[in-house]
Amino acid sequence: MNQAHPHASHHGHHGHHQEHDDAGQAEILDLDAEILAEHTASITGWLPLKTDPRQIVDLGCGTGAGTFALLDRFPDAHVIAVDASVGHLQRLREKARALGLEERVRTVQADLDDTAWPDLGSPDLVWASASMHHMADPEHTLRAVHGVLAPGGLFCVVELAGFPRFLPENAPEDRPGLEERLHAVTDRLHAEHMPHRGADWGPMLTAAGFTIEAERTITVNIEGSHNEAIGRYALNSLQRIRGAAAPELSPEDLAALDRLLDTGGPHNIAHRDDLTVRTVWATRRP
């Protein structure tokens, strides 16, 4: 559930992350897990399983938002958590130890775009939250999942229909509409580098041999006044967006963005009391 955001290429299928970028992504992923926990739990509770799964694979697990939600939902299950990022997997293992769950989790470092996959057994449930659009060849990944899934098993694909927004439409007061202009820039950039973001997964799933049982759309709308972590989430998100968008922003928009990101300044976004996390998830369970 994490959601896949531009700031969180987070479920890491790229094998060349820099350590500092890994750390920045990990912080976003941990905030994802904290803020969106209720929504993630609602998806795990919706899964149409006749019997609880014993073996689960979390593809592109990041720092473990989905892994721990699944372990909580299915107390007899074991999860193989797969990600390209060594740093993310280390963080996930540390969380598992702290929660006393290390015996129920196995981490596997792998680039899922590789032709040969690691041995993931024959899972009853494969979970891919905000990870499929990062794949260079998602059709290959879908066929691979179909090949490893146990007979009668379930594959749950969760993807964001849009990246999170935080500010009211008329904010910031000195540059209204700034956030939408930022996302317009990142949308163009990601269309080049992640062409499958926002894809219609239905035909690809069907082509890979899956039958789509159901779809669900979840609208996320969480008021920041009830959760101080949302200020940190907004700050970290916009900091990461700035790195990509800055060259294409007008000087006025860049200056307004920097005022929002100035942690010592009066306009810092983390201190606003009118923030909201707004996004939409689309979920399929073929």
Side-chain angles (χ1 to χ4, degrees), residues 32 42-43 52 58 101 103 131 178 184 213-214 230 232 285:
D32 276 351
S42 76
I43 296 174
D52 284 357
D58 183 1
L101 296 172
E103 297 300 320
S131 58
L178 171 65
E213 291 196 5
I230 288 175
R232 291 184 283 121
R285 53 186 195 197

Side-chain angles (χ1 to χ4, degrees), residues 10-284:
H10 57 235
H11 298 287
H13 307 290
H14 310 293
H16 307 292
H17 289 310
Q18 298 294 320
E19 287 184 12
H20 72 278
D21 197 42
D22 248 14
Q25 287 182 356
E27 188 170 359
I28 286 285
L29 297 183
D30 287 347
L31 287 166
D32 276 351
E34 178 181 350
I35 292 166
L36 303 173
E38 182 179 334
H39 295 82
T40 304
S42 76
I43 296 174
T44 63
W46 169 76
L47 297 176
L49 293 151
K50 295 181 178 64
T51 59
D52 284 357
R54 294 302 185 98
Q55 298 296 328
I56 300 173
V57 169
D58 183 1
L59 288 182
C61 59
T63 60
T67 295
F68 294 110
L70 291 162
L71 289 170
D72 184 60
R73 171 71 176 82
F74 303 111
D76 294 323
H78 289 75
V79 174
I80 298 176
V82 187
D83 204 280
S85 167
V86 174
H88 290 172
L89 293 176
Q90 174 63 29
R91 198 153 175 156
L92 190 155
R93 288 192 296 271
E94 290 169 358
K95 291 181 187 178
R97 281 194 294 272
L99 294 168
L101 296 172
E102 63 268 34
E103 297 300 320
R104 296 177 58 202
V105 180
R106 177 165 71 90
T107 59
V108 174
Q109 193 274 329
D111 186 337
L112 296 175
D113 284 325
D114 288 346
T115 303
W117 272 27
D119 182 4
L120 301 178
S122 184
D124 310 300
L125 170 62
V126 175
W127 170 275
S129 176
S131 58
M132 289 302 303
H133 73 271
H134 288 288
M135 308 292 180
D137 184 0
E139 289 87 354
H140 161 72
T141 303
L142 294 174
R143 290 191 300 270
V145 171
H146 192 271
V148 302
L149 198 62
L154 188 71
F155 178 30
C156 179
V157 177
V158 185
E159 282 288 338
L160 279 181
F163 293 136
R165 267 64 168 170
F166 301 98
L167 291 165
E169 289 184 7
N170 62 349
E173 292 70 15
D174 53 351
R175 292 294 291 176
L178 171 65
E179 192 169 33
E180 288 307 311
R181 292 192 293 278
L182 283 174
H183 284 287
V185 171
T186 56
D187 283 348
R188 289 197 302 273
L189 296 173
H190 283 89
E192 299 174 17
H193 302 294
M194 283 188 285
H196 301 291
R197 184 175 66 80
D200 182 356
W201 293 96
M204 284 191 279
L205 286 161
T206 302
F210 292 103
T211 299
I212 297 177
E213 291 196 5
E215 298 183 32
R216 181 183 179 192
T217 299
I218 297 176
T219 301
V220 178
N221 197 330
I222 307 171
E223 291 187 16
S225 59
H226 302 303
N227 189 338
E228 63 85 21
I230 288 175
R232 291 184 283 121
Y233 190 43
L235 179 64
N236 278 272
S237 298
L238 291 186
Q239 283 174 334
R240 294 188 66 80
I241 288 174
R242 186 197 187 283
E248 298 195 29
L249 293 177
S250 70
E252 294 80 10
D253 277 350
L254 186 58
L257 177 59
D258 284 341
R259 285 192 289 274
L260 289 173
L261 300 179
D262 181 3
T263 54
H267 303 290
N268 179 244
I269 191 170
H271 300 145
R272 294 183 69 107
D273 60 6
D274 58 354
L275 298 178
T276 306
V277 178
R278 303 185 307 279
T279 190
V280 176
W281 294 347
T283 309
R284 287 185 173 86

